[in-house]
Amino acid sequence: MPSRRELANAVRALSMDAVQAANSGHPGAPMGMADLAEVLWNDFLRHNPANPRWVDRDRFILSNGHGSMLLYALLHLSGYDLPLDELRRFRQLHSRTPGHPEVGHTPGVETTTGPLGQGFANAVGMAIAERRLAAQFNRPGHEVINHFTYVAVGDGCLMEGISHEAASLAGTLGLEKLIAIFDSNQVSIDGDVRGWFTEDVAARFKAYGWRVINNVDGHNADQVKRAVSKARRSKGQPTLIICRTIIGWGAPNKQGSADCHGAPLGTDEVAKARAQIGWPHAPFVIPEEYYQDWDARLRGARAEAKWRRGFKAYREVYPELAAEFERRMSGALPENWEATTRAFVAATAAKGENIATRKASQNALNAYGPVLPELIGGSADLTGSNLTLWSGSTTFTGTTAGNYIYYGVREFAMAAINNGIALHGGLIPYGGTFLIFSDYARNALRMSALMAQRNIFVLTHDSIGLGEDGPTHQAVEQAATLRLIPNMAVWRPCDAVETAVAWKAAIERREGPTCLLLTRQNLKPMQRTAEQMAQIDHGGYVLLDHGPEPDAIIIATGSEVGIAVAAAGELERAGRKVRVVSIPCTSTFDAQDAAWRESVLPTACRRRVAVEAGVPDYWYKYVGLEGRILGVPRFGASAPGPDVFRHFGLTVAGVVACVNSLFN
């Protein structure tokens, strides 16, 4: 029977063999973390390899995702559908073992990691989700949600600023089911981190309100086991276990140095490592007795079967709650969703309010929130400005698992934490800040799109229209650059009706995130027929027309749609037939069939003007090189919003002049 060290050596062998075969990768972290991972996975982790999506499993996140072979080796050995051939194809095209873990690509991978620190923040989100769902569904004697979130972090993760943001909030919220294991090997790509990372991590986390278990020998299984056992008993605090390890443990000439961080060990060093750790087997050969000891399938099946028996009893006592739980975890929307949204959009149109779209967004939350108990949101210290708080909001605190999180000034952590909430399942997260500060959160927004998660970003104060705060706060390039993120839906509604539809689309979109770009200033309601209202969800539609063959087309979004409509009226009085097209969501419009796009933007009409209070270049795809774009090609200015619009020529007269120039 293999010893614990020998079981860990199987992870080391697979890791160095796969990296060597690929001639690419990071062997140091997997070899250094193998001992602590063996303890966690064999003694504590509650999971079922035969059903990686079992809802009440423990979550394990490898935040230092460059050490991906650690995770792949663990998944393979414990019985997931990740055969040895996939490990042989590490980092190769179309393999299930990409360079960094990718959720949805490899069974058992909980989140996509690689950008350091974000996996840690994702884990905070998963722990929040666990607490929120437990509060909603657990009843005395019936715990349908009760699991831990474990996250492995490295020195690099804790250097990243996002780790400070996320750890601070996690401590404040007292997420006792969150356990972080710090692989403290004191080496990063540039070498010994003591040249640039000398802070007292233990003191830092204690100051955040974490329980800290320090000075654990990460190569001593007994010490690791005692530390994890102690962490699982924590009450009212998340726990950080600081494990001292040696990067590349077992490679005699390279361990403990950056030489084994991000490059293969080399055939000679691999051979010496085999001798050093007493591993006589050929590359990718794992003896059967090792597989037997690592196999978690029977243990996992029993754990899930026990949970299912408990859920059956729960269903007998609480049938409605059980049905709601199953709906929520499936990601389906409630039966009355369509009727609720249809009625609210119609009521909004009938009301015809002259309001800011940020206020229209809050109105949508008040209408949709009561039928969406899965909704959980917050704001990065801008609740009163983003208007993300709605009438059914209850505060999420260390003792109350409400549905509204006061994130504080932590935009990056908010976005990444919400990614974790979405990844957990059973909840739909949203988070608010100013559009300009989406730059702080940009990589988490990108990761949300990459992971295809239903995460909603409420980004208000969307342009120079916010006025006096000036160019530091006036978003100019953000709308365009967000639209460039693959799989990111960006809605910039022009009034309350388009805002209601945008929220509906964001909640219904299960294949990726949505950004809602909303105004600070009031916007006049647009006049629409019932047919036009039904066309908004196409992403682009004809708002104002003067026949099937217009002389010119004005394309606009958001606050500029009203300017375009007024300009079209003046042009009509001058004898020009002008069509106004609203495109609140370019990606949704682009996804329509060719016939729809042609009906909105007929190729025969080459006189086109695009109007948006942002950088102009994005719009050439719609107006062509012969068209005109009225935008803001430089940073904004501090003045009342209407004055700034006039300063940049975003006026009715400016649009009229732009259109007329096409006839010269």
Side-chain angles (χ1 to χ4, degrees), residues 49-307:
N51 182 13
R53 307 308 299 167
W54 170 33
V55 298
D56 200 35
R57 67 192 181 279
D58 289 339
R59 271 66 170 174
F60 173 77
I61 297 95
L62 185 70
S63 186
N64 45 340
H66 56 271
S68 57
M69 263 313 303
L70 172 74
L71 183 52
Y72 300 148
L74 293 167
L75 293 169
H76 167 73
L77 290 167
S78 60
Y80 284 79
D81 182 18
L82 193 66
L84 196 60
D85 282 349
E86 292 293 342
L87 274 63
R88 294 179 188 273
R89 298 176 59 233
F90 178 56
R91 287 184 163 230
Q92 305 308 300
L93 188 64
H94 304 312
S95 78
R96 282 189 280 169
T97 50
H100 292 84
E102 297 178 24
V103 68
H105 189 77
T106 309
V109 171
E110 299 286 359
T111 181
T112 301
T113 56
L116 294 177
Q118 284 198 61
F120 177 70
N122 295 163
V124 173
M126 292 178 189
I128 287 173
E130 193 272 346
R131 178 186 284 180
R132 173 63 179 159
L133 290 168
Q136 288 184 296
F137 290 102
N138 289 354
R139 295 296 182 270
H142 297 275
E143 291 190 333
V144 296
I145 288 290
N146 182 13
H147 55 261
F148 286 90
T149 302
Y150 300 96
V151 56
V153 299
D155 293 275
C157 289
L158 297 189
M159 286 186 234
E160 284 285 0
I162 190 173
S163 74
H164 298 255
E165 294 181 25
S168 172
L169 185 62
T172 298
L173 296 178
L175 300 174
E176 61 192 38
K177 305 288 278 296
L178 174 64
I179 299 173
I181 301 174
F182 176 23
D183 172 43
S184 178
N185 59 40
Q186 298 187 307
V187 172
S188 66
I189 292 175
D190 280 352
D192 190 326
V193 301
R194 285 170 290 194
W196 48 87
F197 185 54
T198 59
E199 67 195 49
D200 187 336
V201 172
R204 167 185 154 193
F205 273 76
K206 286 178 182 177
Y208 290 148
W210 285 58
R211 182 181 194 179
V212 177
I213 303 173
N214 202 357
N215 297 315
V216 176
D217 182 349
H219 302 297
N220 184 309
D222 290 337
Q223 287 191 29
V224 174
K225 185 173 182 178
R226 285 195 297 270
V228 176
S229 295
K230 187 176 180 181
R232 286 166 57 91
R233 296 192 297 269
S234 181
K235 298 299 180 185
Q237 291 178 294
T239 301
L240 177 71
I241 302 173
I242 302 177
C243 291
R244 306 296 178 184
T245 63
I246 298 172
I247 190 171
W249 189 96
N253 299 310
K254 294 190 175 183
Q255 69 177 26
S257 74
D259 291 343
C260 64
H261 182 281
L265 296 178
T267 54
D268 183 58
E269 186 72 1
V270 168
K272 290 178 179 177
R274 275 182 151 72
Q276 178 86 0
I277 67 176
W279 189 262
H281 313 290
F284 295 105
V285 172
I286 305 294
E288 183 58 32
E289 61 266 28
Y290 285 77
Y291 279 118
Q292 291 175 3
D293 281 10
W294 268 106
D295 195 342
R297 287 174 292 185
L298 179 59
R299 184 171 73 248
R302 287 173 175 169
E304 183 174 352
K306 181 181 178 182
W307 179 86

Side-chain angles (χ1 to χ4, degrees), residues 544-546 565-578:
L544 182 68
D545 208 4
H546 296 286
V565 168
E570 288 205 9
L571 288 161
E572 180 187 9
R573 289 188 286 275
R576 303 209 189 277
K577 296 183 296 181
V578 177

Side-chain angles (χ1 to χ4, degrees), residues 195-461:
W196 48 87
F197 185 54
T198 59
E199 67 195 49
D200 187 336
V201 172
R204 167 185 154 193
F205 273 76
K206 286 178 182 177
Y208 290 148
W210 285 58
R211 182 181 194 179
V212 177
I213 303 173
N214 202 357
N215 297 315
V216 176
D217 182 349
H219 302 297
N220 184 309
D222 290 337
Q223 287 191 29
V224 174
K225 185 173 182 178
R226 285 195 297 270
V228 176
S229 295
K230 187 176 180 181
R232 286 166 57 91
R233 296 192 297 269
S234 181
K235 298 299 180 185
Q237 291 178 294
T239 301
L240 177 71
I241 302 173
I242 302 177
C243 291
R244 306 296 178 184
T245 63
I246 298 172
I247 190 171
W249 189 96
N253 299 310
K254 294 190 175 183
Q255 69 177 26
S257 74
D259 291 343
C260 64
H261 182 281
L265 296 178
T267 54
D268 183 58
E269 186 72 1
V270 168
K272 290 178 179 177
R274 275 182 151 72
Q276 178 86 0
I277 67 176
W279 189 262
H281 313 290
F284 295 105
V285 172
I286 305 294
E288 183 58 32
E289 61 266 28
Y290 285 77
Y291 279 118
Q292 291 175 3
D293 281 10
W294 268 106
D295 195 342
R297 287 174 292 185
L298 179 59
R299 184 171 73 248
R302 287 173 175 169
E304 183 174 352
K306 181 181 178 182
W307 179 86
R308 290 191 179 280
R309 288 193 298 272
F311 189 76
K312 182 179 179 182
Y314 177 77
R315 186 197 303 279
E316 291 172 357
V317 182
Y318 303 105
E320 293 181 359
L321 272 177
E324 174 67 7
F325 179 81
E326 291 178 317
R327 177 192 74 78
R328 295 269 298 276
M329 298 312 296
S330 75
L333 293 172
E335 290 183 3
N336 59 347
W337 170 250
E338 190 60 38
T340 298
T341 55
R342 190 185 312 115
F344 177 67
V345 171
T348 301
K351 201 169 187 180
E353 286 187 292
N354 181 9
I355 57 175
T357 51
R358 62 170 175 164
K359 179 59 180 176
S361 168
Q362 187 180 49
N363 291 346
L365 281 169
N366 278 312
Y368 300 159
V371 301
L372 289 173
E374 57 263 57
L375 201 62
I376 182 169
S379 173
D381 202 50
L382 290 168
T383 293
S385 294
N386 299 148
L387 301 184
T388 42
L389 194 71
W390 60 283
S391 59
S393 295
T394 55
T395 304
F396 191 107
T397 67
T399 56
T400 306
N403 63 358
Y404 194 84
I405 303 168
Y406 287 91
Y407 278 103
V409 187
R410 301 183 181 100
E411 296 89 354
F412 193 3
M414 175 181 69
I417 287 169
N418 281 358
N419 281 341
I421 292 173
L423 285 158
H424 182 281
L427 297 167
I428 300 175
Y430 68 92
T433 186
F434 289 175
L435 175 56
I436 193 71
F437 300 139
S438 66
D439 285 351
Y440 279 132
R442 179 57 62 103
N443 201 259
L445 270 68
R446 181 180 187 273
M447 293 299 290
S448 188
L450 178 62
M451 295 188 289
Q453 294 303 300
R454 179 162 51 181
N455 192 353
I456 302 170
F457 304 101
V458 181
L459 305 173
T460 70
H461 296 58

